[in-house]
């Protein structure tokens, strides 16, 4: 689903041939791969060693390093562009991370970051709505997502301006993510990833069945054909110039 925003992200950062790019939170490397296809010189970072290894395997020749944001072990003014595709929403101190992004950018360098829009809707809310409809309460120990305050244009743009990006602003991104409904249930509810996955994993079998029944009913709102659904994906793109 996050692959759709790669093009707008790199366009906003002005990534073309010869651009020196830092890809933060590279994940499987899809942003770096497209930047390299454009002729950019890329260094990629990820906090997870396994994900860094995946990026190396997916993008031959990519320089992938391990780092946990906001720590950024790179020299000042060493990049023309810093990009992060849904990375800032995994950072516990986003304000410090953005200041570090500013530090490693050269004068007139560009920053571009994506973040999910809050409150969740469409693709991000389908499993959560099913959990709620099934009468399952969110456990007290489930934290509020660290990016909840950034999921609106004004705070997201302000995050950049507070870090020194005078023209920092955030705009909306909208697209449809078409996927097999059963695959979305498996990755969104049964994979034990994210808030919804943790909640579902704690339930007994009858409760999981009740959640799945609610999910199947709610998913019909987005049905296309052959068991597939077209889920609205709603995100923000923040950009600024150093």
């Amino acid at each position: 689903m996050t692959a759709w925003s790669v093009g707008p992200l790199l366009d906003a950062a002005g990534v073309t041939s010869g651009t020196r790019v830092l890809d933060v939170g590279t994940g499987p490397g899809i942003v770096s791969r497209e930047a390299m296809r454009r002729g950019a010189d890329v260094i990629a970072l990820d906090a997870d060693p396994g994900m860094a290894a995946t990026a190396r395997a997916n993008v031959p020749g990519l320089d992938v390093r391990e780092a946990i944001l906001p720590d950024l072990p790179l020299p000042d003014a060493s990049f023309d562009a810093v990009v992060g595709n849904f990375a800032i929403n995994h950072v516990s101190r986003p304000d410090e991370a953005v200041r570090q992004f500013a530090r490693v950018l050269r004068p007139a360098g560009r920053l571009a970051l994506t973040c999910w829009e809050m409150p969740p809707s469409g693709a991000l809310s389908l499993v959560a709505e099913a959990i709620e409809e099934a009468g399952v309460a969110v456990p007290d120990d489930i934290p509020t997502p660290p990016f909840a305050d950034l999921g609106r244009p004004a705070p997201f743009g302000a995050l950049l301006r507070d870090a020194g990006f005078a023209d920092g602003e955030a705009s909306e991104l909208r697209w449809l993510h078409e996927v097999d409904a059963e695959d979305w249930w498996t990755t969104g509810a049964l994979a034990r990833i994210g808030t919804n996955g943790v909640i579902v994993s704690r339930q007994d079998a009858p409760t999981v069945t009740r959640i799945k029944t609610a999910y199947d009913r709610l998913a019909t709102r987005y049905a296309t054909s052959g068991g597939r659904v077209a889920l609205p994906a709603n995100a923000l793109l923040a950009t600024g110039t150093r």
Side-chain angles (χ1 to χ4, degrees), residues 99-110:
R99 284 194 290 270
Q100 288 295 311
F101 301 157
R103 178 184 63 79
V104 301
L105 277 171
R106 295 168 179 160
R110 294 283 294 170

Side-chain angles (χ1 to χ4, degrees), residues 63-135:
D63 182 354
V64 186
R65 307 180 189 184
E66 295 171 23
I68 300 175
L69 297 173
D71 294 332
L72 203 56
L74 293 163
D76 295 353
S78 51
F79 294 93
D80 303 308
V82 175
V83 296
N85 199 32
F86 303 100
I88 198 69
N89 40 273
H90 294 287
V91 179
S92 60
R93 290 179 286 153
D95 52 344
E96 178 58 28
V98 175
R99 284 194 290 270
Q100 288 295 311
F101 301 157
R103 178 184 63 79
V104 301
L105 277 171
R106 295 168 179 160
R110 294 283 294 170
L111 172 66
L113 303 171
T114 49
C115 182
W116 295 116
E117 189 174 62
M118 292 286 110
S121 59
L124 291 191
S125 67
L126 181 54
V127 174
E129 290 176 44
I131 291 170
E132 182 178 3
E133 184 171 297

